[in-house]
Amino acid sequence: MEFGRIPENELDKIDFKLPPDPAFNRKIFTGRPVAKPKVYVGCAKWGRVEWVGKIYPVKTKEKNFLDHYVHHYNSIELNATHYKIYGPIGIQKWAAKANGKDFLFCPKMFQGVTHRGSLKGKDFILNEFLRGIVAFEKHLGPVFVQVSDTFSPKRKDELFGFMKSLPADLQFFLEVRHPDWFKKEMSEELFSKLNEINAGAVITDTAGRRDCAHMYVTIPKTFIRFVGNSLHKTDFPRIDDWVNRVKYWLDNGMKEIYFFMHMHDEAKSPELTVYLVDKLNKICGLDLMKPKFIHKEQQSTLFT
């Protein structure tokens, strides 16, 4: 992910500390943990050739990447569906790779709906997108709706109307990027509207856009897009901060957490995922799976 990327020599100047929970969140949380919260960790794609010989066996072909991915992660933020509409047959083949596993695909809505012109008048193409993804059946996680960086609050009625029109039997999370959405009055209106329609808010943690790490929780579920910087020294305290926040949320009634690892250089996502999962398991008392390296010496001693 290139969004929010800054030069490496400027990373030490960024205040990466997460902001406190807004008062808004108090009406979402019960103040006590749920019996069996769901926590899912994944990446944006499974098709990384850099992982061959690292977590995928040597000589693994690209067509078989998903077969191996499901043994290292329990979810994926599926960006492939943003660039192409897949029919039910193709989706069912992907879903079959996860048979017998508690694994969820979280498809990103097709860009032809969200990034090309108005959100209005997209019924046909939206229905084609939805017709495909429902074929994931029990392996379908929340659907990720992103609008472009230029989509401002001047179009709020269009956005709110669109989000309200989406099927109520599916879970949707919305990511906005235009800076004006994060001005206090506008953000309160946006997140209140999402709460009204039972939609979640995506939290994006990236170096160059700290406003997108807004920490609003509109339902007792959250969808986090964490953008690391290739194992830069700042990545590790950032993860520590997130683990502490996840612990607080779980203790206060969060039901589902989706945490997706991004990198500007995706080759190193498995290493930071290992650090994340080890911390989550230890601090939050979870038992999450993590990437298993083919050669243990490939795993950085930073994680011990």
Side-chain angles (χ1 to χ4, degrees):
M1 183 197 292
E2 290 299 303
F3 179 65
R5 186 170 192 169
I6 65 172
E8 184 176 347
N9 61 6
E10 295 182 14
L11 290 173
D12 288 328
K13 303 174 185 176
I14 301 294
D15 180 4
F16 282 109
K17 188 167 181 59
L18 296 174
D21 272 30
F24 180 96
N25 290 6
R26 294 173 192 161
K27 66 180 181 181
I28 306 300
F29 293 130
T30 62
R32 57 186 182 276
V34 299
K36 293 182 179 180
K38 294 284 191 177
V39 179
Y40 293 91
V41 174
C43 293
K45 56 188 74 172
W46 60 71
R48 303 307 310 181
V49 296
E50 303 97 324
W51 298 353
V52 175
K54 179 182 285 189
I55 62 172
Y56 297 165
V58 175
K59 297 184 179 180
T60 300
K61 295 182 179 179
E62 194 165 342
K63 67 179 181 178
N64 300 125
F65 283 176
L66 180 56
D67 297 89
H68 298 285
Y69 179 93
V70 297
H71 294 287
H72 299 284
Y73 295 92
N74 65 356
S75 63
I76 186 162
E77 181 201 287
L78 189 57
N79 279 334
T81 53
H82 184 61
Y83 300 102
K84 176 183 174 181
I85 287 183
Y86 291 84
I89 294 176
I91 295 290
Q92 288 165 357
K93 289 180 179 178
W94 285 345
K97 307 284 188 180
N99 279 349
K101 296 181 179 296
D102 179 17
F103 184 98
L104 295 181
F105 295 83
C106 303
K108 185 176 181 180
M109 188 171 284
F110 179 55
Q111 63 182 350
V113 177
T114 58
H115 284 63
R116 297 175 186 168
S118 174
L119 295 172
K120 298 177 181 179
K122 298 290 183 65
D123 290 355
F124 175 78
I125 196 166
L126 174 62
N127 288 337
E128 287 298 292
F129 166 79
L130 295 172
R131 187 172 70 90
I133 65 167
V134 295
F136 279 123
E137 297 183 351
K138 65 182 180 181
H139 293 296
L140 177 61
V143 182
F144 164 33
V145 181
Q146 179 195 81
V147 290
S148 75
D149 306 31
T150 61
F151 196 111
S152 80
K154 293 178 181 179
R155 299 171 65 183
K156 67 179 183 179
D157 291 341
E158 177 187 341
L159 180 61
F160 295 163
F162 175 75
M163 293 298 297
K164 188 175 181 179
S165 74
L166 295 173
D169 58 340
L170 298 178
Q171 182 65 69
F172 294 90
F173 280 83
L174 173 68
E175 181 189 41
V176 294
R177 291 181 165 185
H178 193 287
D180 287 354
W181 287 109
F182 303 104
K183 294 179 179 178
K184 185 170 177 56
E185 288 187 7
M186 191 64 250
S187 63
E188 290 283 332
E189 182 178 356
L190 169 64
F191 298 125
S192 293
K193 182 62 67 173
L194 293 180
N195 171 256
E196 287 175 17
I197 62 175
N198 194 39
V202 173
I203 300 173
T204 303
D205 184 343
T206 186
R209 284 294 305 276
R210 302 310 299 155
D211 54 345
C212 294
H214 52 76
M215 310 312 290
Y216 276 81
V217 177
T218 60
I219 55 176
K221 305 174 184 180
T222 191
F223 191 115
I224 301 153
R225 307 183 82 206
F226 179 92
V227 187
N229 290 290
S230 303
L231 307 184
H232 186 271
K233 64 181 181 180
T234 57
D235 284 346
F236 303 98
R238 290 174 64 196
I239 291 292
D240 293 343
D241 201 7
W242 265 112
V243 171
N244 290 332
R245 188 61 58 94
V246 166
K247 175 69 163 62
Y248 172 77
W249 283 344
L250 290 175
D251 286 348
N252 283 278
M254 185 72 81
K255 295 179 179 178
E256 295 176 17
I257 295 175
Y258 301 86
F259 194 110
F260 295 106
M261 186 68 68
H262 290 257
M263 288 274 188
H264 303 307
D265 175 6
E266 298 284 2
K268 296 179 179 177
S269 290
E271 287 90 337
L272 197 55
T273 304
V274 169
Y275 184 84
L276 167 68
V277 172
D278 281 346
K279 291 281 186 173
L280 286 171
N281 287 345
K282 180 180 179 180
I283 303 298
C284 303
L286 302 174
D287 187 25
L288 299 173
M289 68 192 305
K290 62 183 179 182
K292 300 176 182 65
F293 287 72
I294 292 173
H295 302 292
K296 289 186 178 179
E297 61 269 22
Q298 290 179 312
Q299 196 166 314
S300 172
T301 57
L302 285 168
F303 307 146
T304 60

